[in-house]
Amino acid sequence: MTSATFAVRPAQTADVKAIQAIRTPLEGTGKKLLHHDLVALYEKVQEFLVAEDEDGNVIGAGALHVMWQDLGEVRSLVVAESARGKGVGHSIVSALLERAKDLGIKRVFCLTFEVSFFEKHGFETISDIPVDHETFEEMVRSTDDGIAEFLDLARVKQNTLGNTRMLKLL
């Protein structure tokens, strides 16, 4: 996806330090994102798309994490302070939703403080965990904190305080 001032493309390993630099001010206790060590970002680079400006600088990023056969999560959506309000986040989310469709995902989850932003993309607030008991029992085996947040497990309650659980059907 391309606009007049930026393009969205799959992330490469060379982008990881730039993604971390955009994330860092938003990470930690009382902030909007969980902290991820650099190694964790490298391990998940294939999940990320980045927005790149005309000078080749990474100005935004977001990831699509496959959670189950028909379920994915938009995670780690960030836009550089200098690029906010220019459609970067919207372009990344649109591209992530297209990627989800290409993978056969029918439902996309997010846990966010930015409810109105995600509503513009068709996400709706949910209060329950939209999987059956059998799927829950399989998913609870994951060590991924994002899946634990989705399942509303007690071990990650401190991560979810103030966040809104949202879902979009594709």
Side-chain angles (χ1 to χ4, degrees):
M1 173 176 255
T2 304
S3 87
T5 58
F6 65 89
V8 176
R9 62 168 174 78
Q12 301 172 346
T13 56
D15 300 321
V16 170
K17 288 184 180 177
I19 293 168
Q20 185 186 47
I22 297 169
R23 287 178 54 88
T24 298
L26 303 170
E27 289 181 334
T29 306
K31 304 272 181 122
K32 294 185 177 190
L33 295 174
L34 292 175
H35 171 75
H36 289 303
D37 290 324
L38 193 57
V39 67
L41 293 174
Y42 278 114
E43 290 172 347
K44 297 174 183 167
V45 70
Q46 71 278 3
E47 295 182 358
F48 278 87
L49 297 178
V50 296
E52 180 179 73
D53 69 14
E54 58 231 1
D55 296 324
N57 301 306
V58 173
I59 57 171
L64 176 70
H65 181 77
V66 175
M67 299 174 82
W68 199 248
Q69 177 180 346
D70 67 339
L71 180 66
E73 179 185 10
V74 170
R75 331 176 138 172
S76 296
L77 181 64
V78 293
V79 176
E81 184 71 38
S82 62
R84 291 194 184 137
K86 299 178 181 176
V88 174
H90 288 290
S91 293
I92 292 170
V93 170
S94 294
L96 290 170
L97 293 173
E98 284 303 313
R99 180 182 265 191
K101 287 178 189 174
D102 290 345
L103 290 170
I105 291 171
K106 304 290 185 218
R107 302 175 298 159
V108 180
F109 169 78
C110 71
L111 185 66
T112 185
F113 290 102
E114 306 296 337
V115 174
S116 63
F117 173 87
F118 281 96
E119 285 176 339
K120 292 175 185 171
H121 289 277
F123 284 79
E124 295 181 2
T125 300
I126 59 171
S127 59
D128 61 343
I129 300 163
V131 296
D132 59 44
H133 180 72
E134 183 178 312
T135 303
F136 182 95
E137 290 301 318
E138 290 293 326
M139 291 178 77
V140 78
R141 296 177 183 174
S142 175
T143 59
D144 183 279
D145 280 345
I147 290 178
E149 290 169 347
F150 172 76
L151 297 175
D152 205 23
L153 301 180
R155 71 178 173 87
V156 293
K157 286 288 188 193
Q158 73 281 3
N159 301 345
T160 61
L161 295 175
N163 278 289
T164 299
R165 303 161 64 75
M166 301 185 81
L167 190 72
K168 176 179 175 69
L169 302 178
L170 300 179

